Amino acid sequence: DVVIGFGGGSAIDAAKAIAALRTNPGEPLDYLEVIGRGKALTEAPLPIVAIPTTAGTGAEVTRNAVLASPEHRVKVSLRSPLMLPRLALVDPELTFSLPPDVTAATGLDALTQLIEPFVSARANPMTDAFCREGLRRAARSLRRAVEHGDDAAARDEMALASLFGGLALANAGLGAVHGFAGPFGGMFDAPHGAVCAALLPGAMAVNIRALEARQPQSATLARYAEIARILTGRDDATPADGAAWATDLVAALGVPGLNHYGLSDGDIASLIEKAAVASSMKANPIALTEDEMRLIVERAR
């Protein structure tokens, strides 16, 4: 009658996929993008109740389920407007017992999902409001939630930041960080949030540099400057200051580099090839060259 997803993003995405495949014929590959046939769901999934226990992915308010294909060594989405959960129960108290490393990884994923939609090629006034409010909350509460897990106010703010990020990405898309994170998660046994955290500072810096070089009049540079002002609390902050703030935070929270999960020089070409066709990469604010994509990976190692 109903499917309940209780847990992190993986548990909730599994619930959404199960609910969709319960009422639609065929195999998952019939509906998966990139590696599958990309068919549209024709029947409404079973009703889904999503209860997140991380602050985190925002999967409780998105219309896709990220699934791993070991055969293809990639993570891709089963996606449909019909897959939106019927009910989302967001209770910050469910995150109080998260250990610091999981709080950091999931919180940095939430931060990424507020930054990327704000500079996305599909940004819009509604998602801008979610991103601005979420960024303010994450900037002042993420580190506090990691270092003081019983801080109810910090946990509450991060739960909201995660929710706002989910609403933003569902309506404006993401960017290079998630363009790499999906393929990387399929190639290596690595937690999604930690991978996004490792990639975020480099992706910000490379995007900013590419925009300054090829689109210096782009309004997206002003958006990166606004992000920097929110994150640093400084009125004179530049886009580069925002990337530096992210670099410092990732280091302070002890996020491991991509090499920690087994990435070697021989894997980079395949990772770039897969990232270039990932759905998230299509919303990146500027088309990146192969060299720029390689630089993002190198900076995340």
Side-chain angles (χ1 to χ4, degrees):
D1 300 313
V2 64
V3 179
I4 300 173
F6 183 92
S10 295
I12 293 172
D13 278 1
K16 289 189 281 189
I18 290 166
L21 294 168
R22 177 67 182 83
T23 58
N24 287 270
E27 301 295 324
L29 278 172
D30 291 332
Y31 304 100
L32 286 175
E33 59 191 27
V34 181
I35 61 171
R37 286 173 280 282
K39 290 171 55 179
L41 298 179
T42 57
E43 303 297 328
L46 291 176
I48 304 155
V49 178
I51 309 172
T53 61
T54 67
T57 63
E60 67 274 12
V61 289
T62 61
R63 300 181 291 265
N64 67 302
V66 179
L67 303 179
S69 172
E71 177 186 356
H72 298 87
R73 297 188 73 206
V74 71
K75 285 183 178 180
V76 293
S77 281
L78 193 165
R79 190 184 306 274
S80 170
L82 301 174
M83 291 174 61
L84 189 69
R86 189 74 58 86
L87 178 66
L89 298 175
V90 182
D91 182 352
E93 286 192 32
L94 297 176
T95 68
F96 282 16
S97 61
L98 284 179
D101 60 332
V102 180
T103 300
T106 54
L108 285 162
D109 187 24
L111 177 68
T112 303
Q113 291 172 174
L114 293 161
I115 291 172
E116 290 202 299
F118 192 64
V119 296
S120 159
R122 300 200 293 268
N124 60 75
M126 182 187 74
T127 58
D128 288 350
F130 289 133
C131 293
R132 288 187 176 103
E133 187 62 27
L135 282 168
R136 292 186 186 99
R137 293 174 185 272
R140 65 188 177 224
S141 295
L142 172 51
R143 190 162 180 168
R144 180 78 181 169
V146 173
E147 296 174 349
H148 303 276
D150 59 349
D151 186 320
R155 291 292 195 183
D156 186 71
E157 293 222 303
M158 287 309 301
L160 276 171
S162 175
L163 175 63
F164 292 160
L167 290 166
L169 76 89
N171 291 282
L174 289 161
V177 172
H178 281 81
F180 277 111
F184 190 91
M187 295 169 68
F188 302 95
D189 183 13
H192 171 75
V195 172
C196 288
L199 288 160
L200 176 62
M204 291 178 70
V206 170
N207 270 335
I208 291 165
R209 187 182 305 175
L211 287 164
E212 289 174 341
R214 298 197 295 280
Q215 297 178 20
Q217 304 306 314
S218 171
T220 307
L221 284 171
R223 287 176 172 265
Y224 272 114
E226 183 175 352
I227 289 169
R229 291 194 295 272
I230 293 172
L231 296 180
T232 66
R234 288 172 33 215
D235 291 339
D236 62 344
T238 66
D241 292 330
W245 184 94
T247 300
D248 292 343
L249 180 64
V250 168
L253 297 184
V255 175
L258 299 184
N259 287 357
H260 175 77
Y261 306 106
L263 179 71
S264 67
D265 292 345
D267 298 312
I268 294 178
S270 176
L271 177 59
I272 290 173
E273 182 181 356
K274 292 175 179 178
V277 298
S279 58
S280 291
M281 194 65 79
K282 295 178 174 61
N284 199 61
I286 187 170
L288 298 173
T289 66
E290 183 176 334
D291 286 344
E292 287 167 340
M293 294 177 72
R294 183 176 294 274
L295 183 57
I296 291 174
V297 177
E298 292 292 348
R299 290 194 55 163
R301 297 180 73 180

